[in-house]
Amino acid sequence: QVQLVESGGGLVQAGGSLSLSCAASVKIFSIYSMGWYRQAPGKQRELVAVITSGGSTNYADSVKGRFTISRDNAKNTVYLQMNSLKPEDTAVYYCNARMVVLGTYDYWGQGTQVTVSS
């Protein structure tokens, strides 16, 4: 079973930075696509950024140029560096691991709160 543990959330002023980490307990981390999603109060969960097993990345338009996703396969960890934070970035951020092998398997972390004050 895959377990994902996020860390690094908190309270920051607008314009500030935060870095999130997600440690995965899996046998072969490198085969998973890893992503960060977020859910603000009253809104649906949305994709923030994803990094594939091959290292390709994709970002939501709202965070392009401000957020950077990366992964360290040796540490079974995915990161999200968030710069120039805005109040609208306030949400619970969830780590996702996805494996596509004879079907799609999604695993989620418990979430970490990010609050950006104006």
Side-chain angles (χ1 to χ4, degrees), residues 73-114:
N73 290 339
K75 296 182 178 180
N76 283 15
T77 301
V78 63
Y79 306 94
L80 184 69
Q81 178 64 39
M82 304 184 293
N83 299 327
S84 302
L85 282 160
K86 304 175 181 180
E88 51 263 44
D89 294 318
T90 295
V92 177
Y93 283 69
Y94 296 91
C95 178
N96 168 265
R98 172 169 291 181
M99 181 175 65
V100 181
V101 177
L102 299 178
T104 299
Y105 300 89
D106 278 308
Y107 303 92
W108 296 93
Q110 81 286 355
T112 185
Q113 177 70 46
V114 171

Side-chain angles (χ1 to χ4, degrees), residues 21-76:
S21 300
C22 172
S25 62
V26 293
K27 287 186 177 180
I28 309 176
F29 177 75
S30 59
I31 67 173
Y32 289 82
S33 283
M34 300 299 298
W36 289 96
Y37 290 70
R38 67 187 181 187
Q39 187 167 18
K43 295 188 176 181
Q44 289 188 333
R45 191 173 295 189
E46 63 176 1
L47 174 69
V48 176
V50 64
I51 184 166
T52 68
S53 58
S56 298
T57 58
N58 193 32
Y59 297 90
D61 287 342
S62 59
V63 307
K64 281 181 181 176
R66 300 188 298 122
F67 291 11
T68 302
I69 189 171
S70 60
R71 64 190 297 162
D72 185 337
N73 290 339
K75 296 182 178 180
N76 283 15

